[in-house]
Amino acid sequence: MQPNSQHFKANATAALHQPNLQAALKQLELGFVAGRARCYEGLPEFEALRERAESVLNHTLENLDAYLLEYEARVVEAGGQVHWASTPQEAREIVLRICRDADARSVIRGKSMIGEEIGINDALEGAGFEVTESDLGEYILQLGKEPPSHIVAPAIHKTKDEISDLFFDHHQALGFSERLTDRSALVAEARQVLRTRFLDADVGMTGANFLIAETGSNVIVTNEGNGDLSCTLPRVQIVTAAIDKVVPTLEDASMLLRLLARSATGQEITAYTTFSTGPRREPDADGPREYHVVLIDNQRSEMLGSELRPMLRCIRCGACMNHCPVYGRVGGHSYGWVYPGPMGSVLTPVMVGLDEAGHLPNACTLNGRCETVCPVRIPLPDLLRGLRARQHQQRLNSASARWALGAWAWVARRPRLYQFLTGMAMPIMARLGRKSGRFSRMPLAGGWTRVRDLPAPQGSTFQAQWQKRGRNGS
Amino acid sequence: MSSAKEQVLARIRAANGGAADPAIARARIEAHARQIEPAFDDDLADRFLAKLEAAAATVARVSAEDRVVTEIEAYLERNGLDQKIVAGDEAVLRQLDWPPGFTVEQRVPRGDDVIGLTSALCGIAETGTLMLTSAAGRPTSLNFLPDYHVVVLRRAQLVARMEDAWDKLRAEPGAMPRTVNFISGPSKTADVEQTVEYGAHGPRCLHVVLIDG
């Protein structure tokens, strides 16, 4: 998908004025956030699991080349094939080649964020393949030609009415002549339409929540059973997975599974967790005849060598966005690319460029809620601050911002001057703002005060008050 | 020009300050040490069934194997279903003595089959999870295509945690099966306005019969 992150401010302003989106985001707080809190309370080992997950994943990253080679060897032993891709374009070419070599016509897809990242649907459709997204949310978005707005619940921004319209428009040709408004009827109709697609598909494509070096398995978690059917019924299975998905053992995957659904949707475990290892064995009753894994780098090895390395622990649960006050108001589309929220604000600048996505690391209040809930303890606020520093070093921020930061830094490095200036300014501002107790306009800060007031200072600086309290011993 | 594989590995090694020692990875894999496991001391069967029910599955406990067919018959009647079943080829199911009127076929299911009957390698009490593995007589599609999935297992097949299930699987002959499914409830979706609906793509209903004797 074409990034649209440079319009973050305009996107966010528009999003704030969409009542349907605002209602959906409110619901997210009631659903996922409350659910995660219940799970956290219900599992005394939660913090210990977070710590262990962090250390196991750090160990894996330190030995990533060895684990990837072990994983590849096990896949090959099980009769599967592993293809490596440095870039999204290489990954797309590999997938197209596999589909062509298999004389495939139709592809059924289980929801996968890396599929979005590499733009696989457009590539497949452009090459003449018939592609169907089978996750209900993704299917709705495919009909509406929209990108996902959440990595776990991709269509949360769509209302039932909009879904009714989409199904009515697209399913009439398939013999469904009624515009349904009942939620279960909509789900049942999608089930019926997609059931035929599952049965007819030549290729099933999924992502991977984990790759297991011990067994050469890929793991997917779903509630619908769609990814599971996608990797069972078609004669060819293609798994697209990033190189940071590998974990050493089944035990390690189990530990991460304990964290994943709890952090994502507030479930102890999803309805389905499926481990696929190679193609069907000779006497097996069903399963694909071919099993391919496309291992994708796309900047991850670059992140591995940078201060963004901890981001490679991410297990894509979405807890950071669910708990982010910015995401919670502006929704996922505002971020302008595949990954929204705090994790997206780290990944998008790396994957589409800091010049395109420069707003994202700045669309953060550094409140730290994302880091607090992250199941693998990624210091997201630090990483976002690091990207801001990169931006400054690469002179990607505006001249006025650079000038203001430079001036502030110059003063802040001279404590006596800093105290003198602030000591002068505070009483003046306190007097100016005495009447209303706040400023609704400030010179040079028009953008800030246009939508909010600056509270007037009470008379003296924090440092002056602190010193006074210290002297009084209170 | 070197292959993409060589390039990716070279970049990883450069980022990590050199190649990793494969022996470290191999040793850790061979040890497959257990990580942190949640503590609980509930009765395995009670916990297993309670967790399944909390995830909208239905459950039944029967005292002996010869009660299984009666239980399934009653389940079909409660749900107004025809006595037509597609079943997996498993020891515990082979012994069942179906009354006249039942059609029980062992085959790969079609898209319009209504009832799938299977057993499981084990049941995991921690989360109320069934572990099913693929094999010649056990098509994976049987766990997903029919609207109703009925699973019969013995109390002795219950284990406490996921790690115990892996040990059980490692003790089985042969390598990792092509497919291992963890099933912890019926198929569901919350993709329409974040409200849960059952039967998205997989079974609308999951019914677990535990032989308690």
Side-chain angles (χ1 to χ4, degrees), chain A residues 137-285:
Chain A
E138 290 282 352
Y139 177 66
I140 291 165
L141 297 180
Q142 189 184 21
L143 297 183
K145 297 195 189 331
E146 281 183 60
S149 72
H150 189 286
I151 63 167
V152 173
I156 45 161
H157 60 284
K158 302 298 277 182
T159 63
K160 193 174 59 157
D161 252 10
E162 292 171 307
I163 297 166
S164 296
D165 287 340
L166 279 172
F167 281 14
F168 186 58
D169 289 349
H170 289 85
H171 292 171
Q172 280 183 81
L174 307 171
F176 297 90
S177 53
E178 198 187 335
R179 183 182 179 277
L180 302 170
T181 54
D182 179 57
R183 197 178 293 114
S184 25
L186 287 167
V187 173
E189 187 173 287
R191 177 190 174 99
Q192 237 180 309
V193 171
L194 289 167
R195 180 55 65 102
T196 4
R197 309 277 174 90
F198 277 119
L199 293 167
D200 293 348
D202 303 305
V203 175
M205 276 190 77
T206 66
N209 289 90
F210 306 107
L211 305 172
I212 300 176
E214 177 189 357
T215 53
S217 314
N218 79 285
V219 185
I220 56 166
V221 301
T222 79
N223 277 310
E224 297 184 1
N226 64 309
D228 317 81
L229 280 167
S230 301
C231 63
T232 302
L233 298 178
R235 59 190 163 86
V236 178
Q237 178 180 1
I238 305 176
V239 178
T240 48
I243 54 171
D244 55 343
K245 288 287 147 196
V246 70
V247 298
T249 64
L250 292 165
E251 280 75 7
D252 296 322
S254 303
M255 170 182 62
L256 293 166
L257 286 169
R258 288 194 177 104
L259 288 164
L260 178 57
R262 285 181 170 93
S263 301
T265 52
Q267 294 172 274
E268 287 186 16
I269 191 165
T270 49
Y272 303 111
T273 306
T274 290
F275 301 72
S276 306
T277 313
R280 75 158 79 170
R281 312 290 154 74
E282 206 24 78
D284 281 1

Side-chain angles (χ1 to χ4, degrees), chain B residues 52-161:
Chain B
L52 274 165
E53 280 191 294
T58 52
V59 303
R61 290 174 97 141
V62 297
S63 53
E65 270 162 38
D66 57 11
R67 308 294 301 160
V68 170
V69 167
T70 323
E71 166 51 34
I72 293 175
E73 198 173 4
Y75 177 76
L76 300 192
E77 186 161 340
R78 273 201 301 281
N79 289 283
L81 300 170
D82 290 343
Q83 295 172 334
K84 281 175 68 178
I85 294 175
V86 184
D89 179 22
E90 300 182 76
V92 67
L93 305 178
R94 261 177 252 139
Q95 292 162 10
L96 301 178
D97 191 10
W98 299 100
F102 269 84
T103 316
V104 180
E105 293 176 89
Q106 276 176 11
R107 56 170 169 82
V108 176
R110 293 184 289 262
D112 53 359
D113 285 318
V114 179
I115 305 159
L117 174 65
T118 72
S119 184
L121 180 69
C122 59
I124 304 168
E126 176 186 354
T127 44
T129 298
L130 298 153
M131 184 203 232
L132 285 81
T133 52
S134 61
R138 297 199 296 269
T140 299
S141 48
L142 194 48
N143 311 336
F144 293 96
L145 279 179
D147 285 4
Y148 293 79
H149 186 193
V150 181
V151 184
V152 179
L153 77 169
R154 297 192 181 92
R155 189 190 173 100
Q157 288 173 274
L158 297 185
V159 298
R161 299 178 183 80

Side-chain angles (χ1 to χ4, degrees), chain A residues 52-65 67 246-248 252 309 313, chain B residues 16 20-21 24-29:
Chain A
R52 187 68 66 82
E54 178 187 5
S55 73
V56 166
L57 291 169
N58 282 347
H59 163 85
T60 311
L61 292 173
E62 277 156 25
N63 298 279
L64 187 58
D65 52 333
Y67 281 117
V246 70
V247 298
D252 296 322
R309 181 181 180 108
R313 295 200 297 266
Chain B
N16 277 336
D21 178 359
I24 294 177
R26 254 176 240 138
R28 197 177 183 293
I29 288 170

Side-chain angles (χ1 to χ4, degrees), chain A residues 274-448:
Chain A
T274 290
F275 301 72
S276 306
T277 313
R280 75 158 79 170
R281 312 290 154 74
E282 206 24 78
D284 281 1
D286 60 3
R289 304 270 176 196
E290 286 179 39
Y291 178 85
H292 300 268
V293 181
V294 187
L295 278 177
I296 302 162
D297 183 341
N298 193 21
Q299 306 295 326
R300 286 167 177 85
S301 55
E302 191 267 337
M303 290 169 73
L304 191 67
S306 80
E307 80 280 11
L308 301 178
R309 181 181 180 108
M311 194 62 216
L312 298 175
R313 295 200 297 266
C314 179
I315 57 172
R316 305 290 191 267
C317 69
C320 61
M321 59 197 72
N322 297 341
H323 292 78
C324 173
V326 178
Y327 178 94
R329 296 306 305 277
V330 305
H333 284 169
S334 297
Y335 293 80
W337 198 57
V338 173
Y339 300 108
M343 55 83 79
S345 299
V346 176
L347 289 177
T348 309
V350 177
M351 292 179 179
V352 309
L354 195 50
D355 48 344
E356 164 72 34
H359 284 307
L360 304 192
N362 294 291
C364 166
T365 68
L366 300 179
N367 61 82
R369 232 180 144 197
C370 50
E371 182 177 0
T372 312
V373 298
C374 176
V376 293
R377 303 188 358 143
I378 299 170
L380 287 155
D382 284 352
L383 302 188
L384 291 170
R385 250 195 307 261
L387 284 169
R388 290 181 189 181
R390 268 196 205 184
Q391 215 166 19
H392 192 73
Q393 281 151 17
Q394 295 173 21
R395 310 179 75 85
L396 290 169
N397 45 358
S398 71
S400 56
R402 300 179 59 77
W403 182 86
L405 275 173
W408 183 83
W410 192 84
V411 178
R413 278 198 296 261
R414 292 163 177 79
R416 278 165 187 278
L417 178 64
Y418 182 88
Q419 284 181 28
F420 173 74
L421 288 175
T422 50
M424 296 269 284
M426 285 310 116
I428 297 172
M429 283 179 70
R431 209 169 313 137
L432 288 173
R434 193 174 43 205
K435 232 180 224 160
S436 61
R438 64 184 106 93
F439 297 95
S440 50
R441 252 187 313 225
M442 288 284 288
L444 303 176
W448 203 87

